[in-house]
Amino acid sequence: MKPRLLLLLIAATGALLLTGCGQTGPLPVFGKAITSNWITADYDGQPGDEYIATSNLQDVVFNARGEVIGWFVKSYAGTPYIKRKADGSVDLSGLKAQGSLVNMVGDRKALALSGGGLDPAQPAETSVPQLNTDLPANEQTAVFRYTQNGVSVTKTVTMHPRNFKIDLKTDVTGGPATVNMLFPGLGKADNPSVKAVPVGGELASVQGSGTLKVDNIQYAALQEKPNQLAHALIIRPQKGTTVGATLTGGEQGLITASLPAASNLEVYGGKNELIHLYQSGYSELPGLFQPNIFGQISLVIVKIMESIYKVVGNWGLVLLLLTVLLRAIMWPLMQAQGRTTARMQVMQPKIKEIQDKYKDRKDRDSQVAMQAEMQRLYKDYNFNPAGCLSTFIPFPVLIALWSTIRNFEFDSGFLWLPDLAIPDPFYILALLYLIVNIGQLYVMTRKNPQMFRQQAFIYLIFLYFALTFPAGVTIYIIVSTLIGIVQQVIINKQVEAETATIGQRVQKTAVAAGAGARAAARP
């Protein structure tokens, strides 16, 4: 594909995304993050209202019995799928029709109770739940009460807007000593892994058809294959509650939890991703998540961040200090990479001369001669092609750092930013991102204006992604790029001075060699 056609294709793709026609969802509302609260509205079109806990991370819809009928985890934190109309009513069309969202419970219900007269498919007498939001305590609480066939149920649900955990307390009176609670998932019909670990026992799991019963669980989980868009639903008994679990595999995975009439559970429903699981206290559970090399590096980075936070007490300052620290550690490697790039730019005209000289000569002797000239050029300019490998050495750290900051849930803002875990709602960071990257590109391609113009255009397309990055990620990129610019300017000056000396030495050597040849030719 021709470069010009490729650039037009990239531009068209960027325009498509920026107009909201892609599947990434709308950009955050200008000027503010989502304020976590309860919304009362008609979600399912049936008589009676539903109750929606909305936050930057997810929107969870409960019916009057405290059963989850809509569980939407956001790919981009802070995306407002629920809109307020001018008349004060709520528009839920974006929540129900958004292609990028998956309802984790599908057309089923989570937290539904059955057994001893309780049947989620039959009507019940319900009351209006008590709803409360306490943002300083990171809590959204609802108390649901209903009666069915003489059995009374009180279900207290406490959401935590800054993570995916739910505290669930259930009291059943006038009914059986044991009830079943359903946890279906994960809404995609993609055959999740269904597993459980009994207290003091070994991991038991089922994937595909079949069922398996596990008594006295330490935890039970439904999990998709880990990635940024994968989901997990995890159940952990709390405060002495003994729970048995029946695991059902297949496309419609299901955990049926056998609970005492009075029970306490902790439920995680969100991303099947290491950093979120770590922050929620799940990463050490046996058999739940096995991090790869990038994940292990991410855990080290998180612990460094937490140590810095204990000293400075602000996550924005933590990111600044972490970026400087990691760039300082990687300075020698980046120095080698920068010197290789700078030398290649200086050598490029001479490389092109050699390539043009042999472009029409494809015989073996000519190719050997071309390689010999290239090797002499490398030797004259002290250039080691293997030095390009230093470019890839920092990649595992950079990839892990990116994933860590992207998924980390910060509990504070910074400067004008209301929340470091969502995109900058004022778009100031996106503009700074564009400026510093254009600056870095200029420093890297200052001797090749045509390359600068081509690549600068592409950075305009990358601006879209800066609009959707969490603010913490963008801060890291900006600060890291600024340090990189300073480093490259220093390197450019060093290499230019060195290559000027090399050029003079090569010229003197060539003149001396020519004089010697002439002297030898004299009679």
Side-chain angles (χ1 to χ4, degrees):
M1 183 179 292
K2 295 181 179 180
R4 181 173 295 180
L5 182 59
L6 178 61
L7 291 175
L8 290 175
L9 179 62
I10 294 173
T13 303
L16 179 68
L17 292 170
L18 286 169
T19 55
C21 297
Q23 293 298 310
T24 56
L27 293 176
V29 173
F30 185 85
K32 62 179 181 179
I34 294 175
T35 300
S36 302
N37 57 25
W38 286 98
I39 295 174
T40 302
D42 181 11
Y43 169 82
D44 60 3
Q46 303 298 317
D49 286 327
E50 282 69 51
Y51 308 91
I52 307 170
T54 185
S55 69
N56 285 322
L57 293 179
Q58 60 184 349
D59 296 321
V60 184
V61 185
F62 295 85
N63 63 17
R65 286 192 273 199
E67 300 164 345
V68 178
I69 60 175
W71 201 331
F72 302 96
V73 176
K74 300 176 181 179
S75 299
Y76 290 99
T79 309
Y81 293 105
I82 300 174
K83 307 288 187 180
R84 284 283 183 185
K85 298 179 181 178
D87 62 0
S89 61
V90 178
D91 180 4
L92 301 178
S93 60
L95 182 65
K96 293 188 286 186
Q98 181 56 237
S100 64
L101 278 176
V102 174
N103 183 354
M104 285 213 309
V105 298
D107 57 359
R108 297 183 287 176
K109 300 175 181 177
L111 316 189
L113 293 174
S114 64
L118 297 176
D119 185 348
Q122 298 301 317
E125 297 178 10
T126 62
S127 59
V128 177
Q130 298 173 321
L131 306 176
N132 182 61
T133 299
D134 186 351
L135 294 183
N138 187 34
E139 292 181 349
Q140 291 173 265
T141 302
V143 180
F144 300 94
R145 294 183 175 89
Y146 70 94
T147 302
Q148 188 177 42
N149 296 321
V151 181
S152 297
V153 176
T154 300
K155 195 181 296 179
T156 303
V157 177
T158 302
M159 313 285 294
H160 300 281
R162 287 198 170 274
N163 57 52
F164 293 112
K165 291 198 299 185
I166 302 174
D167 295 323
L168 176 62
K169 180 181 179 181
T170 306
D171 288 302
V172 178
T173 58
T178 302
V179 294
N180 291 326
M181 181 174 285
L182 306 180
F183 295 88
L186 292 161
K188 296 180 183 178
D190 62 353
N191 192 20
S193 171
V194 190
K195 64 181 66 172
V197 173
V199 174
E202 299 294 328
L203 175 69
S205 65
V206 57
Q207 189 163 16
S209 61
T211 61
L212 182 66
K213 186 174 181 181
V214 182
D215 295 323
N216 191 20
I217 62 170
Q218 180 182 351
Y219 78 87
L222 288 152
Q223 289 178 285
E224 295 171 338
K225 186 176 180 180
N227 62 59
Q228 294 294 338
L229 300 178
H231 295 137
L233 196 154
I234 307 167
I235 309 159
R236 295 178 72 182
Q238 301 290 303
K239 298 180 180 178
T241 299
T242 300
V243 178
T246 300
L247 314 178
T248 303
E251 292 185 349
Q252 297 295 314
L254 173 69
I255 297 174
T256 304
S258 177
L259 309 173
S263 64
N264 285 280
L265 298 178
E266 184 177 88
V267 180
Y268 175 98
K271 292 188 176 182
N272 190 33
E273 184 278 325
L274 178 61
I275 301 304
H276 283 102
L277 293 173
Y278 170 82
Q279 285 193 281
S280 298
Y282 289 85
S283 61
E284 298 298 323
L285 290 178
L288 183 68
F289 198 103
Q290 183 61 46
N292 57 20
I293 181 63
F294 298 108
Q296 293 169 6
I297 296 173
S298 291
L299 290 177
V300 173
I301 292 172
V302 168
K303 291 171 183 178
I304 293 173
M305 291 172 60
E306 291 173 338
S307 298
I308 298 174
Y309 182 79
K310 292 177 182 178
V311 177
V312 300
N314 182 279
W315 287 114
L317 293 177
V318 168
L319 290 175
L320 294 178
L321 293 173
L322 178 69
T323 306
V324 172
L325 174 63
L326 291 178
R327 288 295 304 214
I329 293 172
M330 291 189 292
W331 185 277
L333 290 174
M334 305 304 287
Q335 186 81 0
Q337 173 189 336
R339 290 177 68 84
T340 299
T341 302
R343 284 182 181 276
M344 179 60 75
Q345 278 203 50
V346 173
M347 294 166 52
Q348 196 61 44
K350 297 185 180 296
I351 291 175
K352 190 174 186 306
E353 286 180 13
I354 296 173
Q355 291 172 338
D356 290 344
K357 178 180 176 181
Y358 291 94
K359 66 179 181 179
D360 297 324
R361 298 159 61 180
K362 304 300 183 182
D363 59 283
R364 183 175 183 280
D365 290 342
S366 296
Q367 292 299 307
V368 171
M370 183 181 74
Q371 290 300 320
E373 288 196 40
M374 293 288 285
Q375 291 299 322
R376 282 196 297 270
L377 179 65
Y378 291 163
K379 183 178 180 180
D380 290 339
Y381 279 81
N382 194 25
F383 176 78
N384 181 9
C388 298
L389 296 176
S390 64
T391 303
F392 302 101
I393 295 175
F395 270 18
V397 175
L398 297 177
I399 293 172
L401 181 62
W402 166 272
S403 178
T404 301
I405 298 176
R406 175 184 177 183
N407 293 294
F408 196 88
E409 290 303 321
F410 303 93
D411 61 1
S412 64
F414 184 59
L415 300 177
W416 70 90
L417 301 165
D419 192 328
L420 289 167
I422 66 170
D424 177 3
F426 299 103
Y427 310 142
I428 296 172
L429 287 180
L431 179 60
L432 293 175
Y433 168 91
L434 178 63
I435 291 172
V436 298
N437 276 281
I438 292 294
Q440 183 183 52
L441 179 64
Y442 173 77
V443 171
M444 299 288 289
T445 63
R446 69 203 185 286
K447 294 183 179 295
N448 192 334
Q450 183 179 2
M451 182 181 293
F452 173 80
R453 288 191 295 270
Q454 289 177 343
Q455 296 192 16
F457 178 78
I458 294 175
Y459 272 113
L460 294 177
I461 307 305
F462 289 168
L463 179 61
Y464 166 79
F465 300 101
L467 294 172
T468 60
F469 290 158
V473 171
T474 314
I475 287 175
Y476 157 71
I477 295 174
I478 290 171
V479 176
S480 182
T481 303
L482 286 172
I483 296 173
I485 290 173
V486 173
Q487 187 174 21
Q488 193 63 49
V489 168
I490 295 172
I491 290 171
N492 287 345
K493 291 181 178 180
Q494 293 173 343
V495 171
E496 285 171 0
E498 293 170 5
T499 52
T501 304
I502 291 171
Q504 294 171 6
R505 187 179 70 247
V506 170
Q507 185 175 7
K508 289 178 181 178
T509 302
V511 170
R518 287 193 296 271
R522 292 193 189 112

